[in-house]
Structure formats: C-alpha cells, structure tokens
C-alpha cells in the first residue's frame, strides 16, 4: 500500500469519484432497456477517473491511454496493487465503446458483473494509493476550514439521528460561517441607495436580493441560490424532508468548496502585492542598507529624496521593521520621513535647506543600523510569548480533558487552547436542548429573561461570553483555570435546568392539549359515523 496521504484537492477528487460511483451503481441497478448504455458509460467514466487520479498522484502522464496507465500502475512495485477483475473491466470498456460509438445495446445479464467489477477495481486502486476506502469519504473530508468541517460533521450526525431540522441548522451555520469569511476577504461594496429613504418593505426586498446574490457567489445556478435563500428563511420550522436535506447539503458543499478554492487565488490588495514584489528582500545576514537615491523637486517648494533600501526583511517581518524604522528616524521641524511598502524611504525638506540634504543619508543609514537590533529584540520577545501561549494552551487543553465528567448535562464539549477560531480562551458546546434557551432570572413582575451567555458573563472572573455565530457554541474570556470554569458552569446550572424543565413542561402540556384534541375529534367523528 502506498504511503501517500491525499491532499485536499485529492480528497475532493475522491469525493467526486465516490458520488460518481454511487450514481453509476444506482443507474446500473435501475436501468431499463433504453438506459443500459448510459449506465455502462457512467461505470466506465468512474473507472477512468479513478485511474487518472491514481496515475497523477504517482507522476504518471495522464495523457496516456487508460489501458497504458493501468499497466504502469500494476507494474509500480511501491503501489502494491494487484487487481483481480481486469478481464471484467476490459469487457466493460469494450461494451462501453460499442454502446457509445456504435449504439449497440449492452448485455442485460452482464450489467451486475460489470457493476461489481467496477466497484472492486475503483475501491481497490484508490485504497492502494491513498490508504482510504473511497466509499467512506464524507463531504466534511474535502473541507479545509476546521470550524466549517465540524459543522458538516454535526449535520451528518443530526441526519443519522433523523433530526432533519438540526441537520438543516448545521448546514446553514456552515454556509453562514463561510459567507462571513468571504465578506471579510473581499473589499466592502458601496451602497447603491439611501437606506433612510426606504420603507420596511423596500429594506426587506433589498435584504432578500442581497441574500440571493450572496448565495449565487459560488454556484452557477441562480435558481438554486434563490431556493437556498428561501430555505434559510424557513430555518427553525419543522417543515423539511429528506429531499431538502440532500439538496441543501449539495448546495452548501458546492458553495463552501467554491469559496475555499477562491481564497487560494484571491488578491486582497493588488497595490500591496506589487509593492511587495518590488522590494529588495534580504539575501544576506546583517542590516538593510541604502542601494540608491533619487532627488526630485516636489510642489515647487520642497525637495524630495527617495531612497531604495536593499536587504529588507521578509514579508512576515517587514511591517514591524517599517514601523520601527519610522520611529528611529529623526524628528526635525519642516522635515518629514515616510517608509513605504515597496521598500523605499522618502524624506522631504524645504528647498531652502537643500544644502543639508546630505545629512539625510547619514540619518537613514544610522536608523537602518538601529532598527535591526530593535526588530531582532521584538522577534525574540514574540517567540517567547508564542512559546508561553503554546504551553498555556497545552495546560488548558489537558485541564479541559480532566473535567469532561464534571460539567452539567446541557454541555457536550469544552475546548481550551489555540484550536478554536473565535479568539476565545474557552469554547463551550451546548447540547441541542439548550440551543436558544431563554432563562428567567428573578420572580414575579421583576423577573427578566436572558440567555446562557448573559448568565455566564455575569459571573465573577468572566470578562466576556458570547455566541460565536452558531447557536450551540459559546466563547469565553479570559483563560480561567478549568476548575473555576466548571464552578461557573455549575452555578449557572440551576437557571438552565429550570428553563429546560419549564421548556419540557410546556412542550408536554402542548402535546397533551393536542392529544386531547385528537381524542375529542376522533370521538365526535365516531359519533357522527354511528348516527349516520
């Protein structure tokens, strides 16, 4: 078996093959006399795609014929792949060619054998190459973002539990998490209307339009984007069926993977990119130095000297270096210094003081020497801080594992350390029964409602507690010790348990009312039928 682990792109290809294989097998099982040709074309397409993926992963030219690629894969000793169904695959490919090019109907009795051979061939080849059964590849495996992938896993778990509403909630959460990241990535767009001049219905129309535009960003079907926008508005209603879940899962997966692909090539600031490309970055140890200078007249009253600085730090250090250099340059009346993103430094002074322009060279050279020591000390401090944070995160993560049996039953997980995406020191995952739960604090007319985040936020030692944008995740700051955190959660337990009990009582009461109504309707219906 190959030691090669699938890259994110490969995982998406594996997922496509899995879905294609399932579709082809379904076509084969249900094909009538006029569909058998299409069924074996679909089977052979999956075989070809699997061969091409494995060949590409092993550096074999995919421009070769399929049979040649199969032969090279078989002869690759490191792959350790010995297909046992090659005669059936050759027969399938021959029948596919006849059906596709000559219009010959494939043998009905041969279809089951070809389907089985195709499945065995594809699964065996890809497992040999990627150490993964392609039939078990999930949508979540093809998603790079940890938080979005987790939401897809939760959606799958909810679907397995036959909780379609929760499944839709998680899928919409995954879409909204990706949408939030996409909005942060792209530049803000100017408004095209005066919002203060619009009535409520106009605002709603614009909101619906924006929702549809967002949904259409990474899908080619605008109608499907409209459908998904309507589904989001129905969120929270018990109106979804299996078809809705399947369609929503496909839509959100396509949108998220489209977004993640876009981020790879997205250019946030082309001017900054050009400036970075123009820098003369560090190729040797030691300080940056002045490579050249150009003196020009500016605004008829000013003299501007632009210095090209060479051996500047790499991109991850440049901004700190530039800020430090500006602080090191002398502050003199009527003389101004600017450090630019392209690695140049400009100084301007009145034309009347042009005779002293040579002093600017000396000042910049001294500042370049001084800033080198400053940046190095800052980097060392940053390294120490990062190490301290890592150690602290390791301790919190270990402490979190120790208290897993101590938190209240309305919490399903507590995460600490640097593995969360929301800038929080702790993340609390709520059980479904606690999602959106309203708490009642106090008694009588003075009683007030709040939520779990507000209740935790009011505890001593808690600086911030907020929902992360997902109904089931709370973020907490600061990095409280685990035992203090669990005490705060326990202190909140009475309010939460009371609200959950009240919620259960109200639900049971509604269920009893409905049951009584059903009984009354059934009794009256029986009486009417009897009297008739």
């Amino acid at each position: 078996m190959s030691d090669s682990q699938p890259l994110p792109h490969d995982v998406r290809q594996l997922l496509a093959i899995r879905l294609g294989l399932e579709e082809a097998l379904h076509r084969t099982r249900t094909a009538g006399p006029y569909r058998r040709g299409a069924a074996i074309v679909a089977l052979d397409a999956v075989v070809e795609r699997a061969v091409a993926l494995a060949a590409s992963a092993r550096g074999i030219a995919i421009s070769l014929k399929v049979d040649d690629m199969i032969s090279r894969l078989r002869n690759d000793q490191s792959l350790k792949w010995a297909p046992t169904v090659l005669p059936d695959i050759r027969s399938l490919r021959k029948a596919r060619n006849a059906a596709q090019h000559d219009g010959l109907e494939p043998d009905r009795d041969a279809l089951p054998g070809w389907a089985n051979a195709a499945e065995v061939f594809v699964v065996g080849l890809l497992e040999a190459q990627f150490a993964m059964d392609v039939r078990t590849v999930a949508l979540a495996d093809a998603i790079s973002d940890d938080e979005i992938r987790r939401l897809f896993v939760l959606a799958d778990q909810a679907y397995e539990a036959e909780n379609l509403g929760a499944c839709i909630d998680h899928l919409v959460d995954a879409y909204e998490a990706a949408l939030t990241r996409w909005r942060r990535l792209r530049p803000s767009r100017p408004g095209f209307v005066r919002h203060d001049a619009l009535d409520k219905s106009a605002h709603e129309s614009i909101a619906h339009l924006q929702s549809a535009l967002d949904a259409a960003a990474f899908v080619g079907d605008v109608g499907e984007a409209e459908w998904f926008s309507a589904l989001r508005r129905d969120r929270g209603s018990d109106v979804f069926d299996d078809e809705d879940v399947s369609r929503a899962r496909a839509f959100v997966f396509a949108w998220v993977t489209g977004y993640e692909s876009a981020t790879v090539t997205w250019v946030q600031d082309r001017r900054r990119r050009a400036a970075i490309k123009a820098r003369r970055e560090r190729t040797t140890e030691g300080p940056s130095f002045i490579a050249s200078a150009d003196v020009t007249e500016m605004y008829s009253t000013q003299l501007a000297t632009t210095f090209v600085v060479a051996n500047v730090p790499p991109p991850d250090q440049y901004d700190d270096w530039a800020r430090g250099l500006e602080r090191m340059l002398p502050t003199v009346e009527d003389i101004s210094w600017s450090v630019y993103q392209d690695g140049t430094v400009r100084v301007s002074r009145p034309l009347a003081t042009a005779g002293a322009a040579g002093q600017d060279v000396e000042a910049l050279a001294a500042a370049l020497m001084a800033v080198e020591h400053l940046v190095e000390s800052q980097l060392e401090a940053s390294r120490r801080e990062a190490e301290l944070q890592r150690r602290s995160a390791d301790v919190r993560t270990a402490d979190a594992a120790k208290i897993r049996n101590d938190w209240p039953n309305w919490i399903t997980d507590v995460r600490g350390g640097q593995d969360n995406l929301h800038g929080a020191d702790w993340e609390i995952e709520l059980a479904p029964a606690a999602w959106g739960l309203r708490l009642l604090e106090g008694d009588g007319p003075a009683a007030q409602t709040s939520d779990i985040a507000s209740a935790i936020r009011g505890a001593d030692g808690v600086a911030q507690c907020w929902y992360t944008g997902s109904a089931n995740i709370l973020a907490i700051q600061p990095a409280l010790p685990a035992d203090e955190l669990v005490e705060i959660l326990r202190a909140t337990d009475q309010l939460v348990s009371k609200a959950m009990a009240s919620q259960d009582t109200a639900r049971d009461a509604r269920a009893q009312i409905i049951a009584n109504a059903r009984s009354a309707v059934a009794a009256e219906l029986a009486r009417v039928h009897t009297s008739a």
Side-chain angles (χ1 to χ4, degrees):
M1 182 175 294
S2 170
D3 294 330
S4 174
Q5 294 298 312
L7 300 171
H9 172 74
D10 293 331
V11 172
R12 293 179 185 177
Q13 294 294 318
L14 289 169
L15 179 63
I17 291 173
R18 188 207 96 180
L19 298 176
L21 179 61
E22 291 176 354
E23 175 65 20
L25 294 174
H26 175 72
R27 286 190 183 191
T28 304
R29 288 192 297 269
T30 60
Y34 303 108
R35 299 286 185 180
R36 294 182 196 128
I40 64 169
V41 169
L43 281 175
D44 191 49
V46 176
V47 169
E48 290 189 0
R49 190 164 187 176
V51 170
L53 179 60
S56 176
R58 303 197 73 75
I60 298 172
I62 59 175
S63 59
L64 298 171
K65 292 182 178 180
V66 174
D67 291 339
D68 291 337
M69 287 191 286
I70 292 175
S71 178
R72 294 198 181 191
L73 289 168
R74 288 181 64 199
N75 294 330
D76 189 332
Q77 297 299 316
S78 64
L79 183 60
K80 299 180 180 179
W81 174 58
T84 59
V85 292
L86 269 183
D88 294 309
I89 295 299
R90 293 193 183 103
S91 175
L92 165 65
R93 291 181 54 73
K94 185 177 179 180
R96 187 272 304 162
N97 190 62
Q100 186 172 352
H101 298 293
D102 301 327
L104 298 180
E105 190 69 20
D107 183 355
R108 177 184 62 186
D109 295 333
L111 278 178
W114 286 333
N116 180 69
E119 182 175 10
V120 170
F121 181 90
V122 168
V123 172
L125 172 58
L126 297 180
E127 188 164 13
Q129 172 59 38
F130 297 109
M132 178 182 291
D133 188 335
V134 70
R135 294 167 298 187
T136 66
V137 178
L139 295 179
D141 295 327
I143 296 173
S144 303
D145 187 290
D146 291 339
E147 175 68 7
I148 298 174
R149 183 169 60 248
R150 187 180 68 82
L151 290 167
F152 263 89
V153 171
L154 291 175
D156 288 341
Q157 292 172 350
Y159 183 73
E160 291 295 326
E162 299 183 355
N163 190 341
L164 302 188
C167 179
I168 292 291
D169 281 342
H170 290 308
L171 290 172
V172 173
D173 283 342
Y175 166 77
E176 290 178 349
L179 177 60
T180 298
R181 289 156 173 72
W182 171 237
R183 285 173 173 169
R184 290 172 184 164
L185 182 64
R186 72 188 187 193
S188 59
R189 297 174 177 174
F192 56 89
V193 293
R194 281 186 52 193
H195 284 254
D196 58 351
L198 301 177
D199 59 17
K200 181 180 179 181
S201 62
H203 277 290
E204 291 175 349
S205 296
I206 291 174
H208 290 169
L209 174 61
Q210 185 61 58
S211 175
L213 288 173
D214 287 335
F218 297 109
V219 294
D221 190 337
V222 177
E224 199 69 2
E226 288 276 10
W227 174 87
F228 183 73
S229 296
L231 177 133
R232 289 177 69 194
R233 293 194 290 273
D234 287 335
R235 182 183 185 182
S237 305
D238 188 18
V239 295
F240 302 111
D241 59 16
D242 282 337
E243 183 179 352
D244 289 325
V245 170
S246 177
R247 197 170 171 182
R249 183 192 282 126
F251 179 89
V252 175
F253 178 76
W255 203 99
V256 169
T257 53
Y259 152 73
E260 291 194 333
S261 296
T263 61
V264 175
T265 56
W266 182 262
V267 179
Q268 183 74 10
D269 187 338
R270 286 180 172 80
R271 289 183 176 84
R272 178 178 172 84
R273 182 183 65 179
I276 292 174
K277 188 176 181 179
R279 292 176 192 164
R280 299 188 182 186
E281 286 191 4
R282 186 155 294 179
T283 57
T284 63
E285 295 294 331
S288 306
F289 59 88
I290 302 172
S292 62
D294 182 41
V295 180
T296 58
E297 181 184 14
M298 188 170 63
Y299 306 130
S300 303
T301 60
Q302 295 284 311
L303 184 77
T305 305
T306 301
F307 298 95
V308 176
V309 179
N311 210 36
V312 300
D316 60 333
Q317 300 174 19
Y318 184 87
D319 289 342
D320 289 336
W321 174 86
R323 285 191 292 268
L325 180 60
E326 285 186 333
R327 291 197 299 270
M328 293 295 178
L329 291 166
T331 302
V332 180
E333 187 177 359
D334 294 332
I335 298 177
S336 64
W337 292 87
S338 299
V339 182
Y340 296 100
Q341 283 291 322
D342 61 356
T344 60
V345 178
R346 175 178 291 176
V347 57
S348 63
R349 60 169 56 244
L351 280 175
T353 64
Q359 298 174 7
D360 298 334
V361 178
E362 184 179 349
L364 177 56
L368 289 172
M369 290 293 295
V371 75
E372 195 72 23
H373 301 294
L374 173 65
V375 171
E376 182 56 38
S377 64
Q378 288 176 339
L379 287 174
E380 180 59 31
S382 297
R383 284 192 288 266
R384 287 196 299 268
E385 178 64 22
E387 178 62 18
L388 288 174
Q389 289 181 357
R390 186 190 65 77
R391 292 180 181 179
S392 177
D394 290 344
V395 170
R396 289 202 304 279
T397 300
D399 288 345
K402 295 176 184 177
I403 64 170
R404 289 187 182 277
N405 295 324
D406 296 335
W407 57 62
N409 59 10
W410 43 271
I411 293 174
T412 59
D413 195 15
V414 174
R415 295 187 287 273
Q418 298 173 323
D419 59 344
N420 63 75
L421 302 174
H422 306 290
D425 296 299
W426 290 104
E427 280 192 353
I428 310 298
E429 184 172 327
L430 304 179
W435 297 357
L437 191 67
R438 301 301 297 175
L439 312 182
L440 186 64
E441 300 187 63
D443 298 307
Q448 295 183 342
T449 60
S450 65
D451 55 25
I452 297 177
S454 299
I456 294 176
R457 194 183 306 123
D460 291 339
V462 176
Q464 288 290 339
C465 179
W466 69 96
Y467 286 97
T468 64
S470 176
N472 63 324
I473 302 294
L474 289 175
I476 296 177
Q477 290 179 341
L480 298 167
D483 55 347
E484 291 184 22
L485 176 66
V486 78
E487 287 303 319
I488 290 172
L489 298 178
R490 285 175 172 171
T492 313
D493 183 43
Q494 184 175 1
L495 277 175
V496 176
S497 297
K498 181 180 177 182
M500 291 174 66
S502 176
Q503 183 174 262
D504 291 343
T505 300
R507 184 177 61 250
D508 293 344
R510 292 194 302 271
Q512 186 60 52
I513 290 171
I514 292 172
N516 292 341
R518 286 173 178 163
S519 298
V521 169
E524 184 62 19
L525 190 60
R527 186 190 67 76
V528 169
H529 286 168
T530 301
S531 62

